[in-house]
Amino acid sequence: PDIEYGHIETDSPGPGGYKGAGEGGAIGAPPAVINAVADALAPFGAEITRLPITPESIVEIVRRGTGSGAEAK
Protein backbone atom coordinates (compact mmCIF):
# COMPACT_ATOMS: atom_id res chain seq x y z
CA PRO A 1 0.00 0.00 0.00
CA ASP A 2 0.98 3.60 -0.47
CA ILE A 3 2.26 5.25 2.69
CA GLU A 4 2.23 8.96 3.35
CA TYR A 5 4.44 10.48 5.99
CA GLY A 6 5.14 13.96 7.19
CA HIS A 7 7.01 15.95 9.76
CA ILE A 8 5.19 17.82 12.52
CA GLU A 9 6.89 20.03 15.07
CA THR A 10 5.22 20.69 18.40
CA ASP A 11 6.38 22.71 21.36
CA SER A 12 6.77 21.06 24.73
CA PRO A 13 4.50 22.58 27.38
CA GLY A 14 7.32 22.78 29.95
CA PRO A 15 9.62 25.71 30.66
CA GLY A 16 11.77 26.54 27.66
CA GLY A 17 9.84 24.19 25.37
CA TYR A 18 12.50 21.47 25.72
CA LYS A 19 11.84 17.80 25.06
CA GLY A 20 13.77 14.68 25.99
CA ALA A 21 16.46 13.57 23.61
CA GLY A 22 17.73 10.14 24.61
CA GLU A 23 15.95 8.94 27.70
CA GLY A 24 13.82 6.43 25.80
CA GLY A 25 16.70 4.03 25.37
CA ALA A 26 17.36 3.95 29.12
CA ILE A 27 13.80 3.20 30.22
CA GLY A 28 13.76 -0.54 29.49
CA ALA A 29 17.17 -1.57 30.85
CA PRO A 30 16.53 -1.48 34.64
CA PRO A 31 13.32 -3.56 34.49
CA ALA A 32 15.03 -6.02 32.16
CA VAL A 33 17.88 -6.52 34.63
CA ILE A 34 15.50 -6.89 37.58
CA ASN A 35 13.39 -9.42 35.65
CA ALA A 36 16.51 -11.40 34.71
CA VAL A 37 17.57 -11.57 38.36
CA ALA A 38 14.02 -12.52 39.40
CA ASP A 39 14.02 -15.34 36.82
CA ALA A 40 17.39 -16.55 38.12
CA LEU A 41 16.09 -16.57 41.71
CA ALA A 42 12.80 -18.33 40.89
CA PRO A 43 14.22 -21.87 41.37
CA PHE A 44 15.14 -20.86 44.93
CA GLY A 45 11.54 -19.88 45.67
CA ALA A 46 12.56 -16.27 46.18
CA GLU A 47 11.06 -13.04 44.90
CA ILE A 48 12.47 -9.54 44.73
CA THR A 49 10.29 -7.31 46.88
CA ARG A 50 12.56 -4.28 47.37
CA LEU A 51 14.84 -2.18 45.22
CA PRO A 52 17.66 -1.53 44.68
CA ILE A 53 19.05 -5.03 44.51
CA THR A 54 22.59 -5.52 45.75
CA PRO A 55 24.74 -8.63 46.01
CA GLU A 56 24.00 -8.70 49.73
CA SER A 57 20.24 -8.43 49.22
CA ILE A 58 20.32 -11.23 46.63
CA VAL A 59 22.14 -13.52 49.08
CA GLU A 60 19.55 -12.69 51.76
CA ILE A 61 16.65 -13.33 49.33
CA VAL A 62 18.10 -16.73 48.41
CA ARG A 63 18.64 -17.63 52.08
CA ARG A 64 15.02 -16.81 52.87
CA GLY A 65 13.61 -18.58 49.82
CA THR A 66 11.75 -21.82 50.48
CA GLY A 67 12.22 -23.52 47.14
CA SER A 68 8.43 -23.62 46.70
CA GLY A 69 7.88 -20.20 45.14
CA ALA A 70 7.04 -18.47 48.42
CA GLU A 71 7.79 -14.78 48.68
CA ALA A 72 10.92 -13.82 50.59
CA LYS A 73 10.75 -10.60 52.59
Side-chain angles (χ1 to χ4, degrees):
D2 292 335
I3 299 174
E4 291 185 33
Y5 61 92
H7 179 79
I8 300 173
E9 290 186 26
T10 58
D11 291 331
S12 179
Y18 305 114
K19 294 183 180 181
E23 295 85 352
I27 292 172
V33 171
I34 297 300
N35 283 329
V37 173
D39 286 346
L41 296 179
F44 298 99
E47 288 186 11
I48 297 171
T49 58
R50 295 182 183 189
L51 295 178
I53 55 172
T54 63
E56 294 82 12
S57 68
I58 292 172
V59 169
E60 183 61 27
I61 290 169
V62 171
R63 284 186 182 150
R64 291 184 181 198
T66 64
S68 62
E71 180 175 329
K73 293 183 180 182

